[in-house]
Amino acid sequence: MTLTDEDRSLLLRLLATPTAGPLEVGEAGPPPRLWEAQRDYARAAERIGFRVVRHAPAEPADLAAPGVPATVRAAAADPDFLTCQPSLVLRLGPDTVPRERTVMFNVHLDTVAGGPPVSFDGEVFHGRGAIDAKGPAVALLAGVRSARERSTSLGRDSAVIVQAVAGEEGGAMGVLGTRPLVERGHIGRLNVFCEPTSGRLLTRSTASMTARVSVRGDDAIDDRPHAGHNASVLLGFLAQRMGRALDGHARDGAVCVAGLHTGTLHNRVYGTGDLLLNLSYADAGSGRTLEAAVTGALDTALTEFTDSFADTALFARTATDARRLTRLDWPKRGLPVLDDRDRWGHDLLRRAGVPDWPADEPAFTCDAIWMAGIPDTCTVVLGPGDLAADGAHGDDERARLSDLDGFADTVTRFLTSFTDETNGYQ
């Protein structure tokens, strides 16, 4: 099947509607136009037969739960933080249809900041969110529409839920979008998170944690640089040594030596600064191992710094006090991972022609982690395109129309199969 002219117009409108959240654009950035984008999406879904069952932001109490990143808790001190980031729940089918005859799709309509100009040349869409994940969101609706045309039972004897969420990007980890919706019961027997997997069935999702190495010392002026604690030199040294020590763990997950900040002036020694590391893990045991590795790498690096700089004129004071000034904390950790073992759901998708994600290819992090451990459910990650090849989060993000068409066709096939099987037609 192919996306209609109306589908393509919807996608172009969504791409032209900026939806990067506050964690992406910063306090001075423009608020996301998520309410507008979600209403546009809901109108298109209503033409298929969906109805809106929830359109609201998370409650402040939702952010009191364990696992909420420190950055989210801090940002939520501003009431507008949640208000401008609603999530939408759509339902096709009566409320009386039970979970075991329901499919849930999760798409996120928030994006990272920036992106290429919006365009469509007849074959490729460009724009922020084209592949992650506004393009998949529109293709999903096209697939549901086609499935309804094939099966009169869909929307009567079986149901479809669509979560169109905020808070997937910016390090929010779904705690203000997907997690509250899952906890409120907006889920199905089969749950599909629409992220780029090249149309392959991914049954795993990693989680990530953020480590922060902080230095809190004394500043100095450039006339007496030796009198202060040089956080720039100390943190730069720690970044190199820790990065090298953690390199071996990159085979089990992603290790990102990320931002390092002390100051911006050329004539000052900064005694205060922070180094951030973002680390993903595939299972709880690997997460604990990685935490221990970070702690050990920092301890070793501090010893090396003291030994290397103790006899210098500029940095002797920093070397002497390095261990006292340096602190490790975890703004984000303890999140679950997805490792779905529901053979029934996997077999249904395979029979519908969905190929498997290679066992030796690393998974990635997405909101599917919040379905981990929920009984009597199958949760997978499945969508068109490829995060790297299609430039997700980059300046050339794009989605090929052929990939979106292919995903719509995949949705039609397995949704029809699900409807037939759960209603006893096979």
Side-chain angles (χ1 to χ4, degrees), residues 21-32 78:
L23 295 177
E24 281 287 328
V25 302
E27 294 181 2
D78 179 354

Side-chain angles (χ1 to χ4, degrees), residues 249-268:
H249 293 272
R251 288 184 290 272
D252 300 320
V255 175
C256 177
V257 181
L260 193 164
H261 178 75
T262 55
T264 59
L265 297 177
H266 70 283
N267 60 350
R268 182 180 296 271

Side-chain angles (χ1 to χ4, degrees), residues 92-333:
L92 174 66
D95 293 337
T96 53
V97 173
R99 180 189 297 179
E100 56 264 29
R101 297 207 303 270
T102 300
V103 179
M104 185 274 280
F105 294 93
N106 175 287
V107 294
H108 66 91
L109 295 185
D110 67 318
T111 69
V112 301
V118 175
S119 67
F120 176 57
D121 62 8
E123 295 183 356
V124 180
F125 292 91
H126 283 88
R128 179 59 76 230
I131 202 66
D132 188 27
K134 294 177 178 179
V138 173
L140 162 63
L141 291 185
V144 175
R145 182 180 61 235
S146 179
R148 287 213 78 188
E149 294 169 355
R150 293 189 183 187
S151 174
T152 57
S153 294
L154 181 59
R156 184 191 67 199
D157 304 316
S158 59
V160 177
I161 294 172
V162 175
Q163 301 178 359
V165 303
E168 200 273 348
E169 303 286 10
M173 300 299 295
V175 297
L176 58 92
T178 297
R179 185 189 196 180
L181 297 184
V182 168
E183 291 177 345
R184 286 172 172 80
H186 299 294
I187 61 175
R189 172 67 178 87
L190 176 63
N191 303 276
V192 181
F193 285 72
C194 302
E195 294 281 337
T197 66
S198 298
R200 298 172 297 177
L201 171 62
L202 177 58
T203 62
R204 299 171 280 120
S205 181
T206 60
S208 64
M209 54 189 172
T210 301
R212 177 170 54 204
V213 180
S214 303
V215 173
R216 298 293 180 262
D218 297 331
D219 291 353
I221 59 174
D222 60 343
D223 290 330
R224 292 177 53 81
H226 62 283
H229 295 111
N230 198 309
S232 300
V233 174
L234 174 54
L235 286 171
F237 184 94
L238 297 178
Q240 293 184 56
R241 292 296 197 272
M242 293 178 71
R244 181 65 180 174
L246 295 170
D247 180 71
H249 293 272
R251 288 184 290 272
D252 300 320
V255 175
C256 177
V257 181
L260 193 164
H261 178 75
T262 55
T264 59
L265 297 177
H266 70 283
N267 60 350
R268 182 180 296 271
V269 170
Y270 292 96
T272 295
D274 298 289
L275 166 67
L276 294 172
L277 301 95
N278 202 56
L279 312 117
S280 69
Y281 51 95
D283 57 75
S286 297
R288 290 190 292 271
T289 298
L290 199 49
E291 284 188 44
V294 170
T295 302
L298 174 59
D299 183 70
T300 300
L302 284 169
T303 298
E304 291 176 347
F305 181 84
T306 298
D307 293 344
S308 297
F309 289 88
D311 60 352
T312 61
L314 288 175
F315 312 114
R317 186 182 179 210
T318 306
T320 298
D321 297 339
R323 193 170 291 275
R324 177 177 63 82
L325 301 174
T326 305
R327 176 174 176 258
L328 171 65
D329 71 309
W330 298 87
K332 178 176 67 183
R333 67 171 168 178

